[in-house]
Structure formats: structure tokens, C-alpha cells
Amino acid sequence: MSLTVQHLGGMAFVGRGPSGHPIPMDAAKEVGGADSGPRPMEMILAALGGCSGIDVVHILGKMRIPFESFEIRLHGVRRDEHPRSFTAIELEYVFRGAGLEAKRSRLEEAVRLSQEKYCSVAGMLNQAAQLTYRVTIEETSA
């Protein structure tokens, strides 16, 4: 895979990979940016959430487990000194829907498979940071 990151001026950049979609990035105003896009480290967490989320939705589709909504809340802890890499990342997989508590073990299995087998981003980040995850179910009425 190849990707190009082009300087747009100031501290702003745009990445473009094989999909052709623009990936804007910028620095915060306090460090000279214009705050016109997410920070690169935010993109790392977004990539992890997106990669794993796609896996989980695909796996749950194969398991025929419907849900009303699904989100992943990520929290990263970074080093105080440079390079300010992540040392730990926690992922909370939040599923909303009716009757999901009875399917908890299947939801947990889908998440585990993503984290331990399928998600390339998790596989890479696991080499540098401690990744932990948990499943939260918010039951709704049928």
C-alpha cells in the first residue's frame, strides 16, 4: 500500500491513499496550526476503531446478530516525553438493542476475534502499546 501526504501550508496536510479519499490533518493553534483537521494521533485511534468496528459488524452479520446501534469508545494514554507514543489504549465496544444481554458471549467473541485475529491496526499497535477492551450492552425495549 502506498499513500501520499501533501503539505497544504502552515501545519496542515492532506493524505491520499489507494481509495482516493482525502485524509485532512492539522496541528492545534497553540503549536502553530489552524486546527483545520484532526491530529495525526487522533487518526491512529480512529484507524483502530474503524478497523475493529468493520470486523465486528462483519462477524456479527455472519452470526446473524442484529443490533440497533454500535460505537467504540477509545481512550489512549501517551508518554509525557517525546516521542509521545501511546503506551496503553482501552476500547469499549458499546452495543444497543433489544435482547443483546442474552447474546453477550457472541458479542464478546466477535470483539475478541477482531482484536486477536483480524484487525491489522490492533495487531500493529499491540507491538507498541497495551490494548485492552470490554463490551458494554445497553438494552432497549423490543
Side-chain angles (χ1 to χ4, degrees):
M1 179 185 301
S2 296
L3 187 133
T4 300
V5 176
Q6 180 183 7
H7 182 231
L8 300 177
M11 297 285 193
F13 290 83
V14 64
R16 200 171 301 269
S19 70
H21 297 288
I23 306 166
M25 294 172 278
D26 199 358
K29 289 182 180 181
E30 58 267 15
V31 295
D35 194 25
S36 66
R39 314 296 174 258
M41 291 302 280
E42 288 178 283
M43 300 293 288
I44 298 290
L45 289 181
L48 174 58
C51 177
S52 185
I54 289 169
D55 290 342
V56 169
V57 167
H58 182 76
I59 293 165
L60 292 178
K62 286 185 169 187
M63 291 178 173
R64 294 190 170 105
I65 297 178
F67 52 87
E68 290 173 22
S69 66
F70 167 46
E71 70 183 24
I72 305 169
R73 300 172 186 159
L74 297 97
H75 176 74
V77 177
R78 296 174 65 184
R79 292 167 29 115
D80 290 331
E81 57 280 339
H82 291 280
R84 298 208 48 236
S85 57
F86 288 113
T87 57
I89 301 171
E90 179 184 29
L91 299 90
E92 180 184 11
Y93 294 78
V94 182
F95 297 93
R96 288 180 196 86
L100 291 180
E101 193 60 53
K103 298 175 180 145
R104 175 177 286 278
S105 65
R106 312 263 335 256
L107 295 171
E108 290 172 342
E109 176 68 3
V111 168
R112 186 192 66 74
L113 285 168
S114 173
Q115 283 291 312
E116 296 177 11
K117 185 174 182 180
Y118 294 114
C119 180
S120 302
V121 179
M124 183 178 65
L125 288 176
N126 242 329
Q127 304 299 312
Q130 178 185 3
L131 271 61
T132 57
Y133 58 89
R134 69 179 188 269
V135 170
T136 298
I137 295 172
E138 297 177 357
E139 283 285 342
T140 60
S141 56

